[in-house]
Amino acid sequence: MTFEGRPNRDAEVVLVGRSNVGKSTLMRELTGHDVSTGKKPGVTRRPNHFDWAPQSFMFTDLPGFGFMTGVEEEKREAIKTDVVRYVEENADSIVAGVLVVDGKAVIDIIDRHSDADEIPHDVELFGFLQDVDVAPVVAVNKMDKVDDRDERLDELCDRLGLYPPWQQWSGEGGTIAPITAKKGSIEPLKEALRGHFREAKRDDLLQFVK
């Protein structure tokens, strides 16, 4: 069943990605609101909306996909289907889709699932956002745990079909944003979102990414 109860807002930024990559922690940093977080994958099972009615805008933290302890595969696939459907149905209102990945683990995870008959979830979701004309921003989280920063980000660009170096995809309105949400270090993501807000002619939303 598709997620229900979406507030009626005409501008939205969604956070998507695998379970346990830090989406809920990032949402807290973006909104200033505490949300359910935990080390156990799959804590977020329904969308978390944080909206501002006067500006008709909201951030939405969508449930994580992939492995979840104690959740059968059928349920995991149903959640992923609902996430995809949510983005598809609301694409016209979504100013940016933030794909959150674990900077330390993302390359190994993508390569592990890169068989001939399988597209890794992260790569698939990045392409999906492009296909539905939602501007993708990759928030590469937990960068404080990454030693070979530039090499790792260049490899991620390569896996996503973006030509390295990663720096050409960063900055205002950019695609790659290395962050550490747990430490409140999310300025690269805010910078990317500011550019997308301006492109959408929604300068009124810049106040939410100061």
Side-chain angles (χ1 to χ4, degrees):
M1 181 173 65
T2 307
F3 303 132
E4 298 176 347
R6 178 186 183 273
N8 184 21
R9 302 290 177 261
D10 61 17
E12 179 178 10
V13 169
V14 297
L15 273 60
V16 297
R18 289 180 178 275
S19 300
N20 213 30
V21 294
K23 293 191 309 300
S24 297
T25 301
L26 178 55
M27 176 67 91
R28 183 181 64 211
E29 291 300 321
L30 285 168
T31 66
H33 292 270
D34 286 325
V35 297
S36 296
T37 61
K39 293 184 178 179
K40 182 180 179 181
V43 169
T44 305
R45 300 287 179 85
R46 308 284 296 177
N48 284 323
H49 304 286
F50 294 94
D51 64 305
W52 292 266
Q55 288 77 22
S56 194
F57 169 71
M58 64 183 171
F59 284 106
T60 298
D61 175 21
L62 290 170
F65 54 81
F67 174 76
M68 286 177 268
T69 301
V71 181
E72 62 274 15
E73 183 176 356
E74 183 178 345
K75 178 62 175 176
R76 297 200 303 264
E77 286 301 312
I79 291 174
K80 181 186 172 188
T81 298
D82 282 346
V83 167
V84 168
R85 189 174 296 145
Y86 180 96
V87 174
E88 208 165 31
E89 291 178 353
N90 300 294
D92 289 345
S93 301
I94 299 175
V95 182
V98 180
L99 172 60
V100 187
V101 301
D102 182 330
K104 187 174 182 179
V106 63
I107 301 300
D108 291 338
I109 291 173
I110 288 175
D111 289 351
R112 193 183 311 145
H113 295 277
S114 293
D115 297 330
D117 60 345
E118 183 180 13
I119 300 175
H121 287 325
D122 302 288
V123 176
E124 181 183 23
L125 195 49
F126 181 77
F128 166 70
L129 291 172
Q130 294 176 311
D131 288 344
V132 295
D133 292 325
V134 170
V137 179
V138 184
V140 192
N141 196 21
K142 307 182 184 181
M143 287 302 293
D144 59 320
K145 298 180 180 179
V146 176
D147 295 326
D148 50 346
R149 173 188 174 96
D150 287 348
E151 181 180 347
R152 186 65 55 88
L153 293 172
D154 284 349
E155 288 179 349
L156 178 58
C157 284
D158 179 69
R159 302 304 192 277
L160 296 175
L162 305 172
Y163 293 108
W166 71 271
Q167 287 92 337
Q168 68 177 318
W169 304 103
S170 63
E172 186 166 298
T175 304
I176 302 294
I179 65 170
T180 301
K182 195 172 184 179
K183 295 186 176 181
S185 178
I186 64 168
E187 176 56 30
L189 173 60
K190 289 183 176 181
E191 186 178 15
L193 291 177
R194 285 194 287 268
H196 292 299
F197 289 165
R198 290 192 174 101
E199 288 172 12
K201 303 189 186 307
R202 290 299 304 264
D203 285 15
D204 58 308
L205 303 182
L206 294 173
Q207 61 185 298
F208 300 116
V209 287
K210 289 182 178 179

